[in-house]
């Protein structure tokens, strides 16, 4: 049993962080070539992170006691963005209780209620796209997924509040994207509107005012007949019969928004990228959508018949998992394989590297959706939504939304990638996104 951390890059932690921000995939691949399946990377003012990409090790981490390996503690860097009462930042009993409270609307019948809203919002966006000239599709996907969350999670209807909140959130997301160093505590200093952090704080104050007013308005009105997630949380009571406070509600709503909007939009942008770059996959998808829908929108209960689309979404998330790794802070010394991890380090299953192992995937760079039709990979070989007790609560919601948006695009549009475009991976906040917003050209649109 080794008690020292696995080796990794020896460059100063600032250099490692800058490399991570600028060229994350080459950095990961380089480390794997040099150091193997397990290595340690270091960023300033953060605990050392030990990355794992062997499925046996990933399984040990995801099935370890959540008290010994803590996701909430490992996600502490997100606290200034989400607030202290975010599910992502909780551990132990509190996490278990809160997760139980948030889960129901993300499954089964309740989730299917949101299908019509998703389809209408996708159609509205599709109607607004220009014909015959390149435009970036990633911001369009963000527009759809943000709107889906504002309607289904927040239950906001058209009006000045929705418009203002949408503007504030779009501006805040752009700030974080343009200033990735805002993720680092040192740069989170409020020197007024001239600094990015100062601007972020002003946006947050205004968004809070709108949200708190909305909570008050909803508390005084009946929630009967409403199926949005905010209405459900307003009714929820803890074991002492107490409702959630404004701050608790705000933190959970922002968590669902931040965790659910950019992630789904960016995966959709990569999905289009992969499909447009692989004409045989595009043809297969068109045939499938035509076969199931006969040119009409595909009803929610028939989405399950789109098996090639399901496999294509999975293959996109395998080749381009937009969140490249997840973390667990070591709270009690824990052995993973023959490595003894001490308190104060983070164990990080690396999604990207596990998804690119030749022993599991053969030729991992090849885009082959059929892989997912031929075999079903295990949860420690393919885990774009993380794993164990922290597996993404929005996984089914996101997959459902991606199928609806993509099947509408395939049914109504003929489109291609913009001429000469070559996607580079850039970082947006914590996600890997395609460069230049992934420009496309729409050639034909059906009503
Ligand atoms: C393609 C889209 C998405 C991807 C790739 C994604 C990915 C992830 C990942 C990797 C995690 C961390 C899991 C872990 O630590 O093991 C996570 C957690 C989470 N996600 Fe997602 N997510 C997506 C969509 C969504 C949506 C639509 C929502 C909600 C509306 C959502 C809400 C959450 C929440 C609340 C957590 C924290 C769960 C916990 O800590 O118990 N996500 N997601």
């Amino acid at each position: 049993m080794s008690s020292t951390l696995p080796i990794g890059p020896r460059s100063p932690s600032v250099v490692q962080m800058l490399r991570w921000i600028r060229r994350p995939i080459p950095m990961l691949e380089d480390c794997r070539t040099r150091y193997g399946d397990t290595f340690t990377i270091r960023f300033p003012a953060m605990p050392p992170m030990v990355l794992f990409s062997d499925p046996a090790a990933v399984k040990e981490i995801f099935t370890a006691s959540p008290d010994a390996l803590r996701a909430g503690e490992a996600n502490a860097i997100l606290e200034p963005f989400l607030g202290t009462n975010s599910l992502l930042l909780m551990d132990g009993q509190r996490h278990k209780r809160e997760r139980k409270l948030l889960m129901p609307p993300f499954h089964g019948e309740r989730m299917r209620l949101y299908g019509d809203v998703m389809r209408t919002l996708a159609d509205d966006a599709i109607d607004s796209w220009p014909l015959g000239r390149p435009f970036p599709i990633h911001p369009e996907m963000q527009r759809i997924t943000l709107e889906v969350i504002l309607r289904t999670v927040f239950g906001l209807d058209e009006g000045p509040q929705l418009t203002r909140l949408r503007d504030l959130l779009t501006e805040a997301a752009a700030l974080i994207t343009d200033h990735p160093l805002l993720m680092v505590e040192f740069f989170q200093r409020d020197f007024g509107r001239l600094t990015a952090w100062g601007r972020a704080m002003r946006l947050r104050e205004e968004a809070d005012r709108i949200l708190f007013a909305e909570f008050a308005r909803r508390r005084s009105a009946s929630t009967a007949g409403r199926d949005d997630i905010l209405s459900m949380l307003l009714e929820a009571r803890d074991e002492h019969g107490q409702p959630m406070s404004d701050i608790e509600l705000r933190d959970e709503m922002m968590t669902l928004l931040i965790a659910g909007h950019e992630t789904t939009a960016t995966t959709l942008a990569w999905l289009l990228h992969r499909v447009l770059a692989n004409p045989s996959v595009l043809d297969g998808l068109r045939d499938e959508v035509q076969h199931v829908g006969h040119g009409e929108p595909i009803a929610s209960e028939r989405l399950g018949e789109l098996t090639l689309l399901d496999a294509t979404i999975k293959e996109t998330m395998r080749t381009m998992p937009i969140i490249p790794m997840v973390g667990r802070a070591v709270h009690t010394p824990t052995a993973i394989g023959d490595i003894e991890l001490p308190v104060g380090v983070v164990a990080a299953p690396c999604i990207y590297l596990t998804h690119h192992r030749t022993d599991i995937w053969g030729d991992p760079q090849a885009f082959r959706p059929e892989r997912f039709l031929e075999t079903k990979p295990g949860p420690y070989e393919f885990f774009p939504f993380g794993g164990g007790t922290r597996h993404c609560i929005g996984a089914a919601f996101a997959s459902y939304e991606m199928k609806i948006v993509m099947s509408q695009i395939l049914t109504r549009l003929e489109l291609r990638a913009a001429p000469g475009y070559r996607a580079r991976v850039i970082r947006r906040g914590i996600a890997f996104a395609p460069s230049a917003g992934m420009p496309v050209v729409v050639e034909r649109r059906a009503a």
Side-chain angles (χ1 to χ4, degrees):
M1 189 85 58
S2 156
S3 60
T4 50
L5 294 184
I7 54 167
R10 252 167 284 193
S11 46
S13 57
V14 174
V15 175
Q16 294 189 40
M17 187 186 65
L18 290 176
R19 201 164 168 222
W20 176 246
I21 287 176
R22 295 216 186 101
R23 292 178 49 80
I25 292 187
M27 177 175 177
L28 287 175
E29 282 172 346
D30 235 44
C31 287
R32 198 223 344 241
T33 310
R34 278 170 198 238
Y35 313 113
D37 283 345
T38 311
F39 52 87
T40 306
I41 58 176
R42 291 180 162 82
F43 298 152
M46 283 169 67
M49 252 184 298
V50 184
L51 272 66
F52 293 86
S53 53
D54 172 3
V58 171
K59 178 175 181 184
E60 283 185 51
I61 296 170
F62 280 154
T63 54
S65 147
D67 282 330
L69 298 187
R70 301 187 173 183
E73 213 171 301
N75 291 335
I77 186 177
L78 299 171
E79 188 186 316
F81 304 93
L82 303 175
T84 47
N85 304 287
S86 159
L87 182 70
L88 270 158
L89 302 178
M90 291 176 189
D91 282 306
Q93 281 308 317
R94 191 168 177 220
H95 171 260
K96 211 170 158 182
R97 270 201 313 271
E98 189 89 354
R99 199 172 150 103
K100 221 162 141 188
L101 191 71
L102 288 176
M103 278 301 273
F106 290 103
H107 285 279
E109 269 319 299
R110 187 97 194 217
M111 192 185 71
R112 265 182 277 283
L113 286 175
Y114 305 138
D116 289 344
V117 180
M118 292 171 175
R119 201 171 290 103
T120 307
L121 293 171
D123 272 337
D124 291 349
I126 288 173
D127 286 335
S128 73
W129 296 343
L131 288 177
R133 66 171 171 81
F135 68 98
I137 198 80
H138 187 193
E140 293 299 312
M141 295 298 136
Q142 286 167 308
R143 205 149 68 88
I144 298 174
T145 60
L146 175 61
E147 211 64 30
V148 165
I149 299 252
L150 291 176
R151 306 286 177 123
T152 61
V153 175
F154 288 69
L156 293 179
D157 302 319
E158 209 49 75
Q161 268 178 324
L162 177 64
T163 309
R164 186 64 195 137
L165 196 59
R166 187 193 293 129
D167 292 350
L168 287 171
L169 297 170
T170 311
E171 207 179 317
L175 254 180
I176 295 169
T177 307
D178 296 345
H179 301 86
L181 286 173
L182 283 182
M183 300 293 288
V184 180
E185 201 178 336
F186 178 80
F187 293 93
Q188 295 169 354
R189 294 164 192 235
D190 184 353
F191 295 120
R193 281 174 202 280
L194 289 179
T195 52
W197 189 249
R199 285 206 299 284
M201 290 301 100
R202 301 291 105 70
L203 292 173
R204 184 182 174 141
E205 282 159 19
E206 197 183 339
D208 279 359
R209 273 198 297 279
I210 297 180
L211 283 178
F212 293 164
E214 180 68 10
F215 299 161
R217 193 182 71 75
R218 294 274 197 96
R219 281 201 185 94
S220 62
S222 158
T223 54
R226 298 199 68 115
D227 40 42
D228 57 86
I229 294 170
L230 173 58
S231 297
M232 188 199 77
L233 292 183
L234 283 165
E235 305 241 296
R237 297 289 177 269
D238 67 11
E239 65 272 34
H240 310 294
Q242 291 302 310
M244 289 171 85
S245 69
D246 276 3
I247 305 280
E248 286 170 321
L249 274 173
R250 190 262 331 257
D251 291 357
E252 284 310 18
M253 298 306 281
M254 292 311 282
T255 297
L256 295 176
L257 182 119
I258 291 176
H261 140 239
E262 183 83 31
T263 45
T264 313
T266 308
T267 305
L268 272 165
W270 281 118
L271 173 63
L272 273 164
H273 173 261
R274 295 298 198 259
V275 168
L276 297 182
N278 290 277
S280 62
V281 177
L282 177 59
D283 288 346
L285 289 174
R286 279 197 194 295
D287 288 349
E288 182 174 82
V289 167
Q290 175 62 26
H291 178 74
V292 176
H294 304 287
E296 296 296 319
I298 296 172
S300 303
E301 55 281 7
R302 298 200 64 189
L303 288 174
E305 293 171 44
L306 301 174
T307 50
L308 179 61
L309 180 55
D310 182 67
T312 309
I313 291 172
K314 288 184 174 133
E315 180 69 342
T316 301
M317 289 195 286
R318 180 190 72 78
T319 53
M320 188 42 72
I322 52 134
I323 298 186
M325 59 183 158
V326 292
R328 304 290 185 260
V330 178
H331 202 73
T332 315
T334 303
I336 301 297
D338 58 1
I339 297 165
E340 185 69 48
L341 294 174
V343 173
V345 307
V346 168
C350 183
I351 305 176
Y352 181 87
L353 288 179
T354 312
H355 285 188
H356 286 82
R357 288 180 70 98
T358 39
D359 59 347
I360 305 175
W361 306 101
D363 176 4
Q365 299 301 337
F367 186 76
R368 285 187 55 241
E370 313 83 83
R371 297 175 199 276
F372 287 89
L373 299 172
E374 293 153 5
T375 49
K376 190 172 181 292
Y380 311 113
E381 296 170 336
F382 175 66
F383 49 100
F385 292 108
T389 55
R390 309 300 295 230
H391 183 261
C392 172
I393 64 168
F397 185 97
S399 302
Y400 186 66
E401 180 177 355
M402 290 191 285
K403 277 181 203 163
I404 291 183
V405 173
M406 193 62 186
S407 63
Q408 283 308 95
I409 290 178
L410 289 163
T411 304
R412 297 193 50 205
L413 298 180
E414 262 176 46
L415 74 174
R416 59 184 163 90
Y421 174 68
R422 280 180 68 84
R424 270 185 314 106
V425 177
I426 57 161
R427 285 184 58 81
R428 282 181 61 94
I430 54 166
F432 286 173
S435 52
M438 166 66 203
V440 300
V441 179
V442 174
E443 278 161 350
R444 215 190 311 266
R445 176 169 48 222

